[in-house]
PDB file of all heavy atoms in Angstrom:
ATOM      1  N   LYS A 274     117.703  89.405  96.887  1.00  0.00           N
ATOM      2  CA  LYS A 274     117.684  89.110  95.379  1.00  0.00           C
ATOM      3  C   LYS A 274     116.538  89.857  94.764  1.00  0.00           C
ATOM      4  O   LYS A 274     115.344  89.725  95.255  1.00  0.00           O
ATOM      5  CB  LYS A 274     117.479  87.564  95.316  1.00  0.00           C
ATOM      6  CG  LYS A 274     117.434  87.164  93.820  1.00  0.00           C
ATOM      7  CD  LYS A 274     117.190  85.683  93.634  1.00  0.00           C
ATOM      8  CE  LYS A 274     117.031  85.271  92.271  1.00  0.00           C
ATOM      9  NZ  LYS A 274     116.660  83.840  92.038  1.00  0.00           N
ATOM     10  N   SER A 275     116.817  90.521  93.603  1.00  0.00           N
ATOM     11  CA  SER A 275     115.894  91.247  92.865  1.00  0.00           C
ATOM     12  C   SER A 275     115.046  90.369  92.016  1.00  0.00           C
ATOM     13  O   SER A 275     115.630  89.533  91.343  1.00  0.00           O
ATOM     14  CB  SER A 275     116.556  92.321  92.035  1.00  0.00           C
ATOM     15  OG  SER A 275     115.583  93.028  91.261  1.00  0.00           O
ATOM     16  N   VAL A 276     113.633  90.390  92.196  1.00  0.00           N
ATOM     17  CA  VAL A 276     112.767  89.478  91.563  1.00  0.00           C
ATOM     18  C   VAL A 276     111.993  90.396  90.566  1.00  0.00           C
ATOM     19  O   VAL A 276     111.657  91.476  90.775  1.00  0.00           O
ATOM     20  CB  VAL A 276     111.849  88.856  92.485  1.00  0.00           C
ATOM     21  CG1 VAL A 276     110.839  87.864  91.673  1.00  0.00           C
ATOM     22  CG2 VAL A 276     112.674  87.991  93.430  1.00  0.00           C
ATOM     23  N   SER A 277     111.761  89.844  89.224  1.00  0.00           N
ATOM     24  CA  SER A 277     111.078  90.662  88.336  1.00  0.00           C
ATOM     25  C   SER A 277     109.710  89.874  87.961  1.00  0.00           C
ATOM     26  O   SER A 277     109.453  88.763  88.422  1.00  0.00           O
ATOM     27  CB  SER A 277     111.936  90.837  87.047  1.00  0.00           C
ATOM     28  OG  SER A 277     112.256  89.641  86.524  1.00  0.00           O
ATOM     29  N   PHE A 278     109.056  90.496  86.954  1.00  0.00           N
ATOM     30  CA  PHE A 278     107.869  89.780  86.353  1.00  0.00           C
ATOM     31  C   PHE A 278     107.806  90.099  84.981  1.00  0.00           C
ATOM     32  O   PHE A 278     108.273  91.173  84.432  1.00  0.00           O
ATOM     33  CB  PHE A 278     106.575  90.231  87.136  1.00  0.00           C
ATOM     34  CG  PHE A 278     106.263  91.606  87.080  1.00  0.00           C
ATOM     35  CD1 PHE A 278     105.574  92.282  86.015  1.00  0.00           C
ATOM     36  CD2 PHE A 278     106.599  92.486  88.141  1.00  0.00           C
ATOM     37  CE1 PHE A 278     105.404  93.619  86.000  1.00  0.00           C
ATOM     38  CE2 PHE A 278     106.269  93.857  88.165  1.00  0.00           C
ATOM     39  CZ  PHE A 278     105.661  94.379  87.219  1.00  0.00           C
ATOM     40  N   SER A 279     107.093  89.209  84.258  1.00  0.00           N
ATOM     41  CA  SER A 279     106.863  89.377  82.728  1.00  0.00           C
ATOM     42  C   SER A 279     105.503  89.948  82.525  1.00  0.00           C
ATOM     43  O   SER A 279     104.565  89.559  83.436  1.00  0.00           O
ATOM     44  CB  SER A 279     107.120  88.014  81.947  1.00  0.00           C
ATOM     45  OG  SER A 279     108.469  87.553  82.177  1.00  0.00           O
ATOM     46  N   THR A 280     105.215  90.632  81.489  1.00  0.00           N
ATOM     47  CA  THR A 280     103.969  91.327  81.307  1.00  0.00           C
ATOM     48  C   THR A 280     103.444  91.114  79.933  1.00  0.00           C
ATOM     49  O   THR A 280     104.204  91.309  78.873  1.00  0.00           O
ATOM     50  CB  THR A 280     104.184  92.823  81.529  1.00  0.00           C
ATOM     51  OG1 THR A 280     104.703  93.086  82.895  1.00  0.00           O
ATOM     52  CG2 THR A 280     102.757  93.547  81.497  1.00  0.00           C
ATOM     53  N   GLY A 281     102.122  90.887  79.764  1.00  0.00           N
ATOM     54  CA  GLY A 281     101.498  90.982  78.503  1.00  0.00           C
ATOM     55  C   GLY A 281     100.297  91.991  78.661  1.00  0.00           C
ATOM     56  O   GLY A 281      99.681  92.105  79.732  1.00  0.00           O
ATOM     57  N   MET A 282     100.110  92.925  77.790  1.00  0.00           N
ATOM     58  CA  MET A 282      99.235  94.065  77.924  1.00  0.00           C
ATOM     59  C   MET A 282      98.361  94.391  76.617  1.00  0.00           C
ATOM     60  O   MET A 282      99.029  94.378  75.510  1.00  0.00           O
ATOM     61  CB  MET A 282      99.952  95.395  78.363  1.00  0.00           C
ATOM     62  CG  MET A 282      98.958  96.472  78.664  1.00  0.00           C
ATOM     63  SD  MET A 282      99.877  97.893  79.374  1.00  0.00           S
ATOM     64  CE  MET A 282     100.615  98.576  77.874  1.00  0.00           C
ATOM     65  N   ILE A 283      97.114  94.606  76.751  1.00  0.00           N
ATOM     66  CA  ILE A 283      96.350  95.068  75.646  1.00  0.00           C
ATOM     67  C   ILE A 283      95.717  96.392  76.114  1.00  0.00           C
ATOM     68  O   ILE A 283      95.019  96.478  77.126  1.00  0.00           O
ATOM     69  CB  ILE A 283      95.160  94.083  75.250  1.00  0.00           C
ATOM     70  CG1 ILE A 283      95.886  92.727  74.732  1.00  0.00           C
ATOM     71  CG2 ILE A 283      94.312  94.621  74.216  1.00  0.00           C
ATOM     72  CD1 ILE A 283      94.877  91.703  74.481  1.00  0.00           C
TER      73      ILE A 283
END
Side-chain angles (χ1 to χ4, degrees):
K274 177 183 177 181
S275 178
V276 181
S277 61
F278 59 81
S279 301
T280 307
M282 183 176 77
I283 295 177

